[in-house]
Amino acid sequence: MNRKLERRLIIIGSIWQMTTGLLTIFVYASFIKNEGLNSSFDTFAKLEAAQSIFGSLYIFSVSFGMLFVLLGVINFILARGLKDDKAETKKPVWFIVIGLASYFVMDILASLMFLSGGILAFAKNKSIVKIENYHLQNQ
C-alpha cells in the first residue's frame, strides 16, 4: 500500500515548521531585540529592567524558533522513512502527538498536516495488516 499522501502531508507540515521557526528566529526575535535596544526611559534602573525583559523575550523566542526548526527536520526525516507495504506503529503516534502539540501552540496548519498524516497512516496500517493476514491464510 502506497504511503505517498501521508509522506506529502508530513513533509508539507515539516517544511512549514522549519519556515515558521526560521521566521521566529530571524524576524520576530530581531524585532524584539531592536525594541529593547530602542527603548528610552527616564532612569537608568528602568532602562536596565526593560532591556532585561526584552533580552529574556529574545532568548525565549530564539529557543522557540530553534525548537520548531529541530522538530521540522526530525519530522522531515521520519516522513522520508515511512515504508510502503509495512505497518508503521511508532511514527503515526509521533505525528499525532506533534499535531496535538502544534494545535496547543496555535500552529493550525502544522496541526492539520500532522494529524491528517498520522490518522491516514493508522488507517492504512489496518489495511496492510488485513492484506498480510489474507496472504498468510491463502498460502
Side-chain angles (χ1 to χ4, degrees), residues 23-80:
L23 285 173
T24 300
I25 292 170
F26 293 114
V27 177
Y28 184 67
S30 298
F31 173 75
I32 289 173
K33 191 68 167 177
N34 287 336
E35 287 296 313
L37 293 175
N38 294 334
S39 60
S40 61
F41 291 94
D42 54 354
T43 63
F44 183 72
K46 288 181 182 177
L47 179 64
E48 284 292 317
Q51 287 181 348
S52 174
I53 289 172
F54 281 109
S56 297
L57 287 173
Y58 173 78
I59 290 171
F60 177 76
S61 60
V62 168
S63 301
F64 197 72
M66 286 174 53
L67 176 69
F68 264 50
V69 171
L70 180 67
L71 285 175
V73 170
I74 290 170
N75 290 326
F76 188 82
I77 292 168
L78 289 175
R80 301 285 297 175

Side-chain angles (χ1 to χ4, degrees), residues 72-122:
V73 170
I74 290 170
N75 290 326
F76 188 82
I77 292 168
L78 289 175
R80 301 285 297 175
L82 275 175
K83 300 206 182 338
D84 293 338
D85 300 324
K86 182 183 175 206
E88 300 275 353
T89 54
K90 293 178 184 176
K91 289 177 187 175
V93 171
W94 169 258
F95 295 139
I96 289 175
V97 168
I98 291 297
L100 290 173
S102 296
Y103 176 76
F104 287 120
V105 295
M106 298 304 293
D107 189 5
I108 303 301
L109 181 65
S111 177
L112 287 173
M113 294 295 122
F114 291 123
L115 286 173
S116 300
I119 291 169
L120 279 172
F122 272 132

